[in-house]
Structures are given as structure tokens and as C-alpha cells.
Amino acid sequence: MRKPKKLTALLLALTLLFACAACGSGNSTTDSGKTISGTLPEIIDRLYDTVDVDDEQRDFLKNSVGTVEIPKDQSAYYFGVENLDFEEAVASEPLINAIAFSVCLMRVKDGTDIDELKAEIRRSANPAKWICVDVNPNDVRVESVGDLVLLIMADDSEKYSEAFYALAE
């Protein structure tokens, strides 16, 4: 009877080992350990410098959009999720405009389950948060590189996603 107990103990130990490994994988970064260096406003500026848009949109990004710090108690407005616990976050939105456009960048805390956070933001972000204008729900994207999570609500959002991933080192 000793062999079945040892075998059972070994199988239980292996099961626990694999379970722990699976739990740990949820905290890993989404883009293969790559990072994007710089402050959050610098990253937004580089994103806008490299995104593939026409001259009119580039002028809009340079002259009509401002970047502001997001206080934690305002995370629901920007990300759709109440009281997010992040290191820092910024929003880049038109100062005064009738165009629905929002790019929000967050640096998450160590140990954050980024995939779970992205799914929660994807479910909760409000593409109609503005008065009289909205973004097509298909143009809402949540991306991540390293400890950065980017929410894009804009026409041609895939272009901003591509530019964000191109910044990764």
C-alpha cells in the first residue's frame, strides 16, 4: 500500500506545481517581455509622431489634443473601471472638439494580472462617454507592452495599436 500513497503524493505535488505555474503566467506581460521607455507623456508623443495618419489627423494630434494626468478616483471616466490601482496614468484627449477621441496610457503596479485588467477595461470602457459623439465599439482597443496598458477609443484605432507596438524594444 505504500506505493499508491507515494504515487498519489507525487501526482499531487506535480499538480500543485503546474497550478502554481499557471497562476504565475497570468501576471506576465503581454508582449514577450518587451518594454517602452520614457515617461507616459513622452510615450504618447512618440506614438503620435509615428502613427500612420493623414496630415489632417496629424495636425489634430499636434494642435487639438492635450495630455493630462489621470487621478485614481477618475479611472471610471477614462478606463470604465472604478478605483483602478495603478502606478500612474495619463489621458490624451481633445481640449475642446466634437470628435470622439481618447488615448489613455497606464503604468500598472507589479503583480497586476494584465490580461485580466485588459479584459475588464475592454468590457467597461464607454465609447459614448462624450456628449453628442461616440466611437464605434469596434474602434475600442486595449493593448499592452510590459507594464503599460493602452486604451484607444478613436476612428482607425488599429493604426494607434500598430504604432504602440512599434515603440516596443
Side-chain angles (χ1 to χ4, degrees), residues 67-128:
T67 302
V68 297
E69 185 176 331
I70 299 174
K72 290 182 182 184
D73 64 350
Q74 293 182 15
S75 66
Y77 175 75
Y78 292 101
F79 292 101
V81 180
E82 289 284 336
N83 299 314
L84 285 174
D85 192 21
F86 50 77
E87 289 290 328
E88 59 181 331
V90 296
S92 182
E93 297 185 338
L95 304 174
I96 298 176
N97 206 333
I99 297 173
F101 180 90
S102 180
V103 173
C104 298
L105 183 61
M106 171 188 347
R107 188 175 314 275
V108 300
K109 290 187 173 186
D110 286 342
T112 299
D113 185 330
I114 292 176
D115 291 332
E116 182 180 310
L117 176 61
K118 286 171 52 179
E120 185 176 8
I121 292 170
R122 203 173 278 117
R123 280 189 307 272
S124 304
N126 182 4

Side-chain angles (χ1 to χ4, degrees), residues 21-166:
C23 289
S25 68
N27 293 333
S28 65
T29 60
T30 301
D31 198 2
S32 306
K34 292 185 175 185
T35 62
I36 300 175
S37 61
T39 67
L40 298 185
E42 289 170 348
I43 294 168
I44 294 283
D45 287 345
R46 289 196 339 256
L47 173 72
Y48 291 165
D49 287 342
T50 60
V51 67
D52 182 23
V53 293
D54 62 26
D55 291 340
E56 183 180 345
Q57 183 68 13
R58 183 140 344 266
D59 182 61
F60 168 75
L61 294 173
K62 292 292 183 185
N63 298 313
S64 298
V65 176
T67 302
V68 297
E69 185 176 331
I70 299 174
K72 290 182 182 184
D73 64 350
Q74 293 182 15
S75 66
Y77 175 75
Y78 292 101
F79 292 101
V81 180
E82 289 284 336
N83 299 314
L84 285 174
D85 192 21
F86 50 77
E87 289 290 328
E88 59 181 331
V90 296
S92 182
E93 297 185 338
L95 304 174
I96 298 176
N97 206 333
I99 297 173
F101 180 90
S102 180
V103 173
C104 298
L105 183 61
M106 171 188 347
R107 188 175 314 275
V108 300
K109 290 187 173 186
D110 286 342
T112 299
D113 185 330
I114 292 176
D115 291 332
E116 182 180 310
L117 176 61
K118 286 171 52 179
E120 185 176 8
I121 292 170
R122 203 173 278 117
R123 280 189 307 272
S124 304
N126 182 4
K129 71 179 188 175
W130 305 276
I131 299 171
C132 300
V133 296
D134 62 347
V135 172
N136 183 317
N138 294 328
D139 279 321
V140 175
R141 294 179 180 267
V142 182
E143 312 292 358
S144 64
V145 171
D147 63 350
L148 299 173
V149 174
L150 180 73
L151 169 63
I152 308 155
M153 293 193 292
D155 291 340
D156 296 327
S157 60
E158 72 279 353
K159 291 180 179 183
Y160 294 89
S161 293
E162 292 167 5
F164 179 65
Y165 287 119

